[in-house]
Amino acid sequence: MNKPLILTIFRWLLWLLLITFESVVGFPWLSLVVVGQWLLVGSTYQVLGSIVLSSLILAATYSLAWPLAMLAVMILWQVNQQTRKHSSQRWLIYLSVVVVIGWLAGTPLNGLSLVFTFFSWLFYARWWGIWGRNLWQKLGKVSAKS
Amino acid sequence: MALKWWQQALFLLALSVVLSVAGLANFLVADMERVVLPVKHWWTSGFSYLYSVTQNLQQLPKAAKRIQDLELRLAEASVSLAELETTKKENQALRALVADHNQLSERRIITAPVVAFAQPAIAAGELDGIQPGAIVLSNDTLLGQVREVRAHSATVALLFTQESQPILVTTSQGVQGLLIGDGKKIILTEVEKQAQLNLGDQLTTVGQPQIEQGIPVGRIIKITNDPVAATQEAIVEQYVSFFETPLVEVR
């Protein structure tokens, strides 16, 4: 078994764990970012297959209609394709998609979901290397460059 | 000719819509749910366990406080129990004391009957605590009542004397009558005509001022049921004689 295939399977399993975890605690913040970074890569057929599979998993996890889940994954795919990494456009579209999915799935805004939203955002910030008040400055610079 | 991204996206979306409308997508999603739901369940169980552990940890200080509170209450209960035990013992002692006191409060004076004088008397008087109306007994049998009290002696109105006060008595069958003396005998009077009197019936006091209930008086030795009279009469004999007993009790 070649290394890329093992890596792909590992990513899929990890993503499955991540999205099910997030469906339990609230919104799919990290899993939808990860799906664009990890799964929607490779050749056209690989991407199309990933879109089908990830949308099915998303639909099954959040009890969404499959076309809606597929549309969401496609938006993320195109956002990944069209925008720069760590740009405000990508960030805002991710945010919008996640909020819409949470709204459609009827995710409650209870203490648990808010706590994990907070931690997810902290993870974003750490991942992007952005902290605190530098966030908007850096986003602004990235936006200006992009 | 390669499709553009939007064409690919449109194709996939159209495919998913068609499959959904046809109902085939439900099978695909249901199959995927078979994979996803156990994982979600695993997460949920993990969170539930974590939550319960957290709750238990949160309750630890409360549990410690609760145990302290219970220990304090136990100590208080033990003290209360000890106090209760002490009170119980005191209560028992007081009861015994009260019983003794009752016995003591019944002023029992033992004295000798004085029969040398014309008037029956006892050799105890006011200085000994004898009071007018006190009953005179011998062997727990009512003999009479103190009539006049002097310093060291007191006259006694024996039941057969005319000076004796009428005493309400009853037989063992519940027939009641008045006991009076005619100077020679003790007579049971005022007994209803229909009442059943029997020879040998024992008489006891019913209870009246200065005379306790249930004191034996004597027994019926003769019944006089005059058809003309409105009531019955009977002659009563006492078990002991004032003139023969060496000591009498005055209450």
Side-chain angles (χ1 to χ4, degrees), chain B residues 1 18 24 33 42 49 55 65 74-75 102 107 112-113 158 166 171 185 201 203-204 240 250:
Chain B
M1 181 182 170
V18 168
L24 295 173
E33 279 179 348
W42 182 74
Y49 177 73
Q55 288 291 311
K65 194 176 178 183
L74 181 66
N102 284 342
R107 294 180 62 81
L158 295 173
T171 65
K185 304 183 291 291
D201 277 352
L203 300 174
T204 54
V240 291
V250 182

Side-chain angles (χ1 to χ4, degrees), chain B residues 95-165:
Chain B
R95 280 187 179 183
L97 198 62
V98 166
D100 289 343
H101 182 71
N102 284 342
Q103 287 179 356
L104 291 172
S105 66
E106 292 175 1
R107 294 180 62 81
R108 293 185 172 187
I109 300 166
I110 309 298
T111 183
V114 181
V115 295
F117 301 102
Q119 183 73 18
I122 52 173
E126 190 174 3
L127 296 177
D128 301 303
I130 302 296
Q131 292 179 345
I135 54 175
V136 180
L137 303 102
S138 176
N139 292 328
D140 287 332
T141 300
L142 180 63
L143 298 178
Q145 284 182 279
V146 173
R147 196 174 61 167
E148 292 177 7
V149 181
R150 288 185 283 272
H152 298 286
S153 64
T155 59
V156 177
L158 295 173
L159 294 183
F160 68 87
T161 62
Q162 290 179 338
E163 292 83 12
S164 69
Q165 297 293 321

